[in-house]
Amino acid sequence: MTGPASRIEPPAPTRNDAPVGRRERKKAQTRKALADAALELFLERGFEQVSVKEIADAADVSVTTLFKHFAGKEALVFDLDDDIEAALVSAVRDRAPGRSIPQALRDYVLLTEDHAAQHDFAPFARLVADTPALRDYAHRMWMRHETALARAIAREAGAPEDDPACAALAHFALESRELARRYPDRKRAAEEIFTLLERGWAAVRSGG
């Protein structure tokens, strides 16, 4: 089980980018080879037991090349950061008619939990959960999307870009996943959290 398909997050929406040049394809291939090699070694032996040099050797590149693509070992595990941000923004922007913004974000968070629960993702999820460095890094990376999400919410709500209510909804919607994971029934916990967010958001938007 290797490669980006082993990550927890669902895929981002399809984007119609311009054709990728040969140099960009080469970079993408190298990046994928490194991420795949790292994940395979981490799952086999554990995160702390694998060195950066071993990962570079497995991908048949130099350590210098590895660091041109990834800032460190943790980054090798989470190589879909841009895709995740695009998916979060899309969840708000492209939500179904009649769905509120909190409902759309709840759907997305529950979708990520469904992916994490799938058998193919279980070893990766355990690796992250059992490795403090990866667990902390995953949370920091997830919360990095707060600003982009807040701006997307503001655009959809017709609010100023720096609107505090939009920033609060973005923050607590993202934090909901970490909070829900403290409970045996993550789905029920997430539902209750987003029920609270939905009510608060509705009150703010109605001026009540």
Side-chain angles (χ1 to χ4, degrees):
M1 187 192 76
T2 62
S6 301
R7 278 37 171 190
I8 289 178
E9 312 303 339
T14 302
R15 292 172 288 181
N16 295 320
D17 294 333
V20 179
R22 181 178 179 182
R23 185 176 181 181
E24 287 71 26
R25 286 199 303 272
K26 179 67 173 176
K27 286 182 179 179
Q29 289 168 358
T30 300
R31 186 179 178 87
K32 182 178 184 302
L34 283 164
D36 287 356
L39 186 57
E40 184 171 0
L41 288 169
F42 293 156
L43 290 173
E44 180 182 330
R45 292 163 45 196
F47 179 78
E48 301 294 349
Q49 284 66 49
V50 178
S51 70
V52 170
K53 186 178 185 307
E54 288 175 305
I55 297 167
D57 289 345
D60 196 25
V61 301
S62 67
V63 172
T64 301
T65 297
L66 184 152
F67 282 118
K68 286 180 180 178
H69 291 273
F70 296 95
K73 281 172 64 177
E74 294 88 351
L76 282 153
V77 179
F78 303 97
D79 63 328
L80 300 177
D81 197 45
D82 291 341
D83 290 345
I84 294 168
E85 186 165 294
L88 277 165
V89 170
S90 177
V92 172
R93 183 190 60 214
D94 303 325
R95 68 190 186 281
R99 298 296 284 172
S100 70
I101 294 173
Q103 287 171 341
L105 289 171
R106 180 198 62 191
D107 293 344
Y108 181 82
V109 169
L110 291 177
L111 180 61
T112 66
E113 290 302 307
D114 286 344
H115 275 249
Q118 291 176 9
H119 177 73
D120 289 347
F121 291 88
F124 175 75
R126 284 197 301 271
L127 172 69
V128 175
D130 294 343
T131 310
L134 290 179
R135 194 166 60 243
D136 292 345
Y137 187 86
H139 183 251
R140 291 198 306 272
M141 293 296 288
W142 178 244
M143 295 306 297
R144 279 180 59 188
H145 306 307
E146 185 177 328
T147 299
L149 181 58
R151 288 173 179 167
I153 292 170
R155 283 194 297 270
E156 289 300 305
E161 190 174 271
D162 61 349
D163 182 73
C166 296
L169 178 57
H171 177 81
F172 290 113
L174 292 175
E175 282 285 10
S176 71
R177 192 172 73 168
E178 186 71 18
L179 179 58
R181 287 176 176 176
R182 300 177 188 176
Y183 296 87
D185 189 339
R186 295 179 179 181
K187 183 174 181 180
R188 180 179 177 182
E191 292 279 6
E192 292 184 10
I193 292 166
F194 275 98
T195 295
L196 180 63
L197 293 178
E198 174 71 32
R199 290 172 180 170
W201 178 251
V204 168
R205 298 306 298 165
S206 67

